[in-house]
Amino acid sequence: MTDVLKPQVLRLGNFCYRINPGDKLSDNDSLQFNYTEETNFTELDPAGSGADVDSRVKEISPGRFFASVDIPSALFRFIIGKKGDTKRKLEYETRCTIVIPARGVEGAIVIKGKTARSVTSAITRIEVLADSGRQKTDFTHFVSVPMTHPVVQRHYQKFQEQVLTQFSKCHGVDESIFQNPDKLHLTVATLTLLNDPEVTQATEVILSCADELSQKLGSDPRLRIQNLDYMNDDPTAIDVLYAKVRSADNSNSFQVAVDLLCSRLAEAGISRQDFQRDRVKLHVTLMNTLFRKDTGGGGPGPGGRNFKPREPFDAQSMLKVMGLFDFGEIPFPGFHLSKRYSTSCTGYYETVVDIITSGSSS
């Protein structure tokens, strides 16, 4: 439930807009290409409020102004709207001409108008629509810490065998809900990167943090993966079971480094994380009902996931017996910018860039 005292906001230049949680779509809806525009443009128009003219606006001749806005093509549909309704409304209310590249073609949106203020107004409205659309679009990449060290995989195999041997009769427990051992990881942040320039920007931000992160982590950082926990309040109806991760020396160095990287990504405006939280939860997902094999005819979603209602599992007895399970201690494997729904030759996610371990693109 959204905290009314801490609403989700969208910042564009000197303007700050509150995002109505009622406008958010589910992951299902984000895959659809029809979009009904409900934005009240009169509330977003800075033209009559004494707002400064956007620096991207250029005068090409007396009474003729021009600007271009770089928006990923995946977000054009939110600016065009159903049957072009949103674009027509924008053009009518700003008295501008808006030229959008064809679907699937990357390129800037061109705005032409008779006044600098009208073009500025169109820029602001287009960016608000694009950022709102980005929030409704599934994330494409994530910053991860791989937990695929042989030590962890060996203990994970023992964990899985013990669960299936002792607790297979517990409701909802079956082999299909276990994480693939080659993809065990800790998620630091999720990112929606919709074209090559955005991937490059994220890569540069991550690489720019390398020295500072190394300093926070120390000369020989090691991690301990130990103790089970779950996401909800009822151990008899769990969707996600995970193992906790911490610095092996019981310091807070790993937590500090993770939070630092998250803050840098947030400052750059490329992370989807809710940074109103004080700290990132350090955990490795072991069992997830999203992985469950479809036995009810539900259609597969991206990456083979299903959209049918999730069936939780009962882990109460498991937690009593195995709650302190130790998956071992490993050297810190680095931060990776990973591509969602991908598999590399190692079995792990495709990596765009990693730091600490190599300090350069892989």
Side-chain angles (χ1 to χ4, degrees), residues 115-157:
T115 69
R117 286 289 178 85
S118 65
V119 175
T120 294
S121 175
I123 291 172
T124 300
R125 296 174 180 187
I126 286 172
E127 290 183 333
V128 168
L129 288 170
D131 279 273
S132 176
R134 185 183 293 274
Q135 297 298 319
K136 300 168 184 174
T137 303
D138 232 359
F139 72 91
T140 60
H141 297 71
F142 59 103
V143 179
S144 70
V145 178
M147 294 292 171
T148 55
H149 191 281
V151 169
V152 176
Q153 289 194 332
R154 185 168 61 251
H155 284 90
Y156 180 65
Q157 182 179 0

Side-chain angles (χ1 to χ4, degrees), residues 48-254:
S49 62
D52 294 333
V53 171
D54 193 287
S55 61
R56 288 167 288 185
V57 178
K58 308 299 180 185
E59 185 174 12
I60 54 180
S61 65
R64 296 178 62 200
F65 293 84
F66 160 92
S68 62
V69 184
D70 291 319
I71 301 290
S73 62
L75 300 177
F76 288 169
R77 61 191 176 97
F78 297 101
I79 299 161
I80 296 170
K82 186 176 182 180
K83 298 181 179 180
D85 289 347
T86 303
K87 177 175 175 288
R88 282 192 294 272
K89 184 177 182 181
L90 278 170
E91 291 179 320
Y92 175 78
E93 295 190 352
T94 63
R95 299 297 188 267
C96 290
T97 299
I98 300 171
V99 181
I100 301 175
R103 178 183 294 180
V105 177
E106 292 292 341
I109 294 177
V110 176
I111 307 166
K112 297 178 182 179
K114 294 183 178 180
T115 69
R117 286 289 178 85
S118 65
V119 175
T120 294
S121 175
I123 291 172
T124 300
R125 296 174 180 187
I126 286 172
E127 290 183 333
V128 168
L129 288 170
D131 279 273
S132 176
R134 185 183 293 274
Q135 297 298 319
K136 300 168 184 174
T137 303
D138 232 359
F139 72 91
T140 60
H141 297 71
F142 59 103
V143 179
S144 70
V145 178
M147 294 292 171
T148 55
H149 191 281
V151 169
V152 176
Q153 289 194 332
R154 185 168 61 251
H155 284 90
Y156 180 65
Q157 182 179 0
K158 293 180 180 178
F159 166 79
Q160 184 174 353
E161 291 172 353
Q162 184 176 349
V163 169
L164 293 176
T165 298
Q166 298 183 24
F167 307 104
S168 61
K169 294 183 179 180
C170 294
H171 176 78
V173 174
D174 67 61
E175 188 173 359
S176 70
I177 64 175
F178 286 86
Q179 173 65 284
N180 180 340
D182 289 328
K183 292 193 171 182
L184 289 168
H185 67 278
L186 180 153
T187 298
V188 175
T190 57
L191 316 174
T192 302
L193 308 176
L194 300 177
N195 56 22
D196 290 341
E198 292 189 348
V199 173
T200 299
Q201 180 191 10
T203 299
E204 291 173 349
V205 170
I206 293 171
L207 289 175
S208 70
C209 300
D211 291 342
E212 193 173 5
L213 291 171
S214 294
Q215 183 179 13
K216 299 295 183 183
L217 288 166
S219 59
D220 184 26
R222 299 183 67 81
L223 303 178
R224 169 71 65 177
I225 302 92
Q226 185 180 23
N227 299 338
L228 306 181
D229 208 341
Y230 53 99
M231 292 295 185
N232 60 306
D233 297 326
D234 184 359
T236 66
I238 292 176
D239 281 321
V240 177
L241 182 77
Y242 62 86
K244 297 180 180 180
V245 182
R246 57 177 171 81
S247 297
D249 62 1
N250 290 320
S251 71
N252 68 342
S253 59
F254 181 54

